Amino acid sequence: MSKKFELPELPYAFDALEPTISGEIMKIHHDMHHKAYVTNLNIATEKYDAAEKNGDLAAMASQLSAINFNGGGHINHSIFWTNLAPTNQGGGTSPQGELADAIKAEFGSLENFITRFNAAAGPIQGSGWGWLGYNKTTKRLEIAVTANQDPLIAKGIIPLLGIDVWEHAYYLQYKNVRPDYLKAIWNVVNWKNVAERYSAAKAECA
């Protein structure tokens, strides 16, 4: 049988990202939404394994959509939690070193990057994610968007920074004004984590 996937613990308290993201939002987001993705992923993989054992191709295929959606939700949120940090733990501190140089080379400045990122993520119809990723082919930074819970790696781009723009990520606090949420969230972006992911992506593609 496939291994059981588990809900990761947050690396900070639910209210640690206030006032940018309320503790209520973080608790619901983590303990209800992410937990549901993990639960449903385990159910889908168990059904897939049983169907595979029985050689039932149709039943196997019927689980692929649920595995992609819930598996993507688990992958994306596991990245998202570590991409954020309280301000007293470095959240919002500008990127340094190789990542800062790469952002400047690709986008001109951090400010230009944020403007372009928000311009891409803001208009996403319905639910989805905005991403800064490392393109495995071009070996350059790239802004990308994905719908629903689709994992970015399916596009050949290694995720470095993901911003959740599903309404459950912000609606209780920012209502329907997604641009305000996107403007504020940079106050708690954990650029140290993003830099670590960038270094790992470069090493993987070397």
Coordinates of all heavy atoms in Angstrom, one line a residue, residues 33 36-38 40-41 44 63-77 127-129 147-151 166 168:
H33 N -8.6 23.0 5.7 CA -8.4 22.9 4.3 C -7.2 22.0 4.0 O -7.4 21.0 3.2 CB -8.2 24.3 3.6 CG -9.4 25.1 3.6 ND1 -10.4 25.0 2.6 CD2 -9.9 26.1 4.4 CE1 -11.4 25.8 2.9 NE2 -11.1 26.5 4.0
A36 N -7.9 18.4 5.0 CA -8.8 17.8 4.1 C -8.1 17.2 2.8 O -8.4 16.1 2.3 CB -10.0 18.7 3.7
Y37 N -7.2 18.0 2.3 CA -6.4 17.5 1.1 C -5.6 16.2 1.5 O -5.6 15.3 0.7 CB -5.4 18.6 0.7 CG -6.1 19.8 0.1 CD1 -5.7 21.1 0.6 CD2 -7.1 19.8 -0.8 CE1 -6.3 22.3 0.1 CE2 -7.7 21.0 -1.2 CZ -7.3 22.2 -0.8 OH -7.9 23.3 -1.2
V38 N -5.0 16.2 2.7 CA -4.3 15.1 3.1 C -5.2 13.9 3.3 O -4.9 12.7 2.8 CB -3.5 15.4 4.4 CG1 -2.8 14.1 4.9 CG2 -2.4 16.4 4.2
N40 N -8.1 13.3 2.0 CA -8.7 12.8 0.7 C -7.6 12.2 -0.2 O -7.9 11.3 -1.0 CB -9.4 13.9 0.0 CG -10.7 14.3 0.7 OD1 -11.4 13.5 1.3 ND2 -11.0 15.6 0.7
L41 N -6.4 12.7 -0.1 CA -5.3 12.1 -0.8 C -5.0 10.7 -0.4 O -4.8 9.8 -1.2 CB -4.0 12.9 -0.6 CG -2.7 12.4 -1.3 CD1 -2.9 12.2 -2.8 CD2 -1.5 13.3 -0.9
A44 N -7.8 8.5 -1.8 CA -7.7 8.2 -3.2 C -6.5 7.3 -3.5 O -6.6 6.4 -4.4 CB -7.4 9.6 -3.9
Q63 N -9.3 7.5 -10.1 CA -8.7 8.1 -8.9 C -7.7 9.2 -9.3 O -7.2 9.9 -8.4 CB -8.1 7.1 -8.0 CG -9.1 6.1 -7.5 CD -10.2 6.8 -6.7 OE1 -10.0 7.7 -5.9 NE2 -11.4 6.3 -6.9
L64 N -7.3 9.3 -10.5 CA -6.2 10.2 -10.9 C -6.5 11.6 -10.7 O -5.7 12.4 -10.2 CB -5.8 9.9 -12.4 CG -5.1 8.6 -12.6 CD1 -4.8 8.4 -14.1 CD2 -3.9 8.3 -11.8
S65 N -7.7 12.0 -11.0 CA -8.1 13.4 -10.7 C -8.1 13.8 -9.3 O -7.6 14.9 -8.9 CB -9.6 13.7 -11.3 OG -10.0 15.0 -11.0
A66 N -8.6 12.9 -8.4 CA -8.5 13.2 -7.0 C -7.1 13.2 -6.4 O -6.8 14.0 -5.6 CB -9.3 12.1 -6.2
I67 N -6.2 12.3 -7.0 CA -4.8 12.3 -6.6 C -4.2 13.6 -7.0 O -3.4 14.2 -6.2 CB -4.1 11.1 -7.1 CG1 -4.6 9.8 -6.4 CG2 -2.6 11.2 -6.9 CD1 -4.1 8.5 -7.1
N68 N -4.4 14.1 -8.2 CA -3.8 15.3 -8.7 C -4.3 16.5 -7.8 O -3.5 17.3 -7.4 CB -4.1 15.5 -10.1 CG -3.5 16.8 -10.7 OD1 -2.3 16.9 -10.9 ND2 -4.3 17.9 -10.8
F69 N -5.6 16.6 -7.6 CA -6.1 17.7 -6.9 C -5.7 17.7 -5.4 O -5.1 18.7 -4.9 CB -7.6 17.7 -6.9 CG -8.3 18.9 -6.2 CD1 -8.3 20.1 -6.7 CD2 -8.8 18.7 -4.9 CE1 -8.9 21.2 -6.1 CE2 -9.4 19.7 -4.2 CZ -9.5 21.0 -4.8
N70 N -5.9 16.6 -4.7 CA -5.5 16.6 -3.3 C -4.0 16.5 -3.1 O -3.5 17.1 -2.1 CB -6.3 15.4 -2.6 CG -7.7 15.7 -2.6 OD1 -8.2 16.5 -1.9 ND2 -8.5 14.9 -3.3
G71 N -3.3 15.8 -4.0 CA -1.9 15.7 -3.9 C -1.3 17.1 -4.2 O -0.3 17.5 -3.5
G72 N -1.8 17.8 -5.2 CA -1.3 19.1 -5.4 C -1.6 20.0 -4.3 O -0.7 20.9 -3.9
G73 N -2.8 19.9 -3.7 CA -3.1 20.7 -2.5 C -2.1 20.5 -1.4 O -1.7 21.4 -0.7
H74 N -1.8 19.2 -1.2 CA -0.8 18.9 -0.1 C 0.6 19.5 -0.4 O 1.2 20.1 0.5 CB -0.8 17.4 0.1 CG 0.2 16.9 1.1 ND1 0.3 17.5 2.4 CD2 1.1 15.9 1.1 CE1 1.2 16.9 3.1 NE2 1.7 15.9 2.3
I75 N 1.0 19.3 -1.6 CA 2.4 19.8 -2.0 C 2.4 21.3 -1.9 O 3.3 21.9 -1.3 CB 2.7 19.4 -3.5 CG1 2.9 17.9 -3.6 CG2 3.9 20.1 -4.0 CD1 2.9 17.3 -5.0
N76 N 1.4 22.0 -2.5 CA 1.4 23.4 -2.6 C 1.4 24.0 -1.2 O 2.1 25.0 -0.9 CB 0.2 23.9 -3.4 CG 0.3 23.5 -4.9 OD1 1.4 23.1 -5.3 ND2 -0.8 23.6 -5.6
H77 N 0.5 23.5 -0.3 CA 0.4 24.1 1.0 C 1.6 23.8 1.9 O 2.0 24.7 2.7 CB -0.9 23.6 1.7 CG -2.1 24.3 1.2 ND1 -2.8 23.8 0.1 CD2 -2.8 25.4 1.6 CE1 -3.8 24.6 -0.1 NE2 -3.8 25.6 0.8
S127 N -9.9 30.0 -8.4 CA -8.9 29.7 -7.4 C -7.6 29.2 -8.1 O -7.6 28.7 -9.2 CB -9.5 28.5 -6.6 OG -10.7 28.9 -5.9
G128 N -6.5 29.5 -7.4 CA -5.2 29.1 -8.0 C -4.1 29.6 -7.1 O -4.3 30.0 -6.0
W129 N -2.9 29.6 -7.8 CA -1.7 30.0 -7.1 C -0.8 30.9 -8.0 O -0.8 30.6 -9.2 CB -0.9 28.7 -6.7 CG -1.5 27.9 -5.7 CD1 -2.6 27.1 -5.8 CD2 -1.0 27.8 -4.3 NE1 -2.8 26.5 -4.6 CE2 -1.9 26.9 -3.7 CE3 0.0 28.4 -3.6 CZ2 -1.7 26.6 -2.3 CZ3 0.2 28.1 -2.3 CH2 -0.7 27.2 -1.6
A147 N -3.8 26.8 -11.9 CA -5.3 26.8 -11.5 C -5.5 25.8 -10.4 O -4.8 24.8 -10.2 CB -6.1 26.4 -12.7
N148 N -6.5 26.0 -9.6 CA -6.9 25.1 -8.5 C -5.7 24.7 -7.7 O -5.0 25.5 -7.1 CB -7.7 23.9 -9.2 CG -8.9 24.4 -9.9 OD1 -9.7 25.2 -9.4 ND2 -9.0 23.9 -11.1
Q149 N -5.5 23.4 -7.6 CA -4.3 22.9 -6.8 C -3.3 22.2 -7.7 O -2.5 21.4 -7.2 CB -4.8 21.9 -5.7 CG -5.6 22.5 -4.7 CD -4.9 23.6 -3.8 OE1 -3.7 23.8 -4.0 NE2 -5.6 24.3 -3.0
D150 N -3.3 22.6 -9.0 CA -2.3 21.9 -9.9 C -0.9 22.2 -9.4 O -0.5 23.4 -9.1 CB -2.5 22.5 -11.3 CG -3.7 22.0 -12.0 OD1 -4.4 21.1 -11.4 OD2 -4.1 22.5 -13.1
P151 N 0.0 21.2 -9.3 CA 1.4 21.4 -8.9 C 2.2 22.1 -10.0 O 2.1 21.7 -11.2 CB 1.9 20.0 -8.6 CG 1.0 19.1 -9.4 CD -0.3 19.8 -9.5
W166 N -6.6 31.2 -3.4 CA -7.9 30.7 -3.1 C -8.5 31.6 -2.1 O -7.8 32.2 -1.2 CB -7.8 29.3 -2.5 CG -7.6 28.2 -3.5 CD1 -6.5 28.0 -4.3 CD2 -8.5 27.1 -3.7 NE1 -6.7 26.9 -5.0 CE2 -7.9 26.3 -4.7 CE3 -9.8 26.7 -3.3 CZ2 -8.5 25.1 -5.2 CZ3 -10.4 25.6 -3.7 CH2 -9.8 24.8 -4.7
H168 N -10.1 31.0 0.5 CA -10.0 30.6 1.9 C -8.7 31.1 2.5 O -8.5 31.1 3.8 CB -10.1 29.1 2.1 CG -9.0 28.3 1.4 ND1 -9.3 27.2 0.5 CD2 -7.7 28.3 1.4 CE1 -8.2 26.7 0.0 NE2 -7.2 27.3 0.6

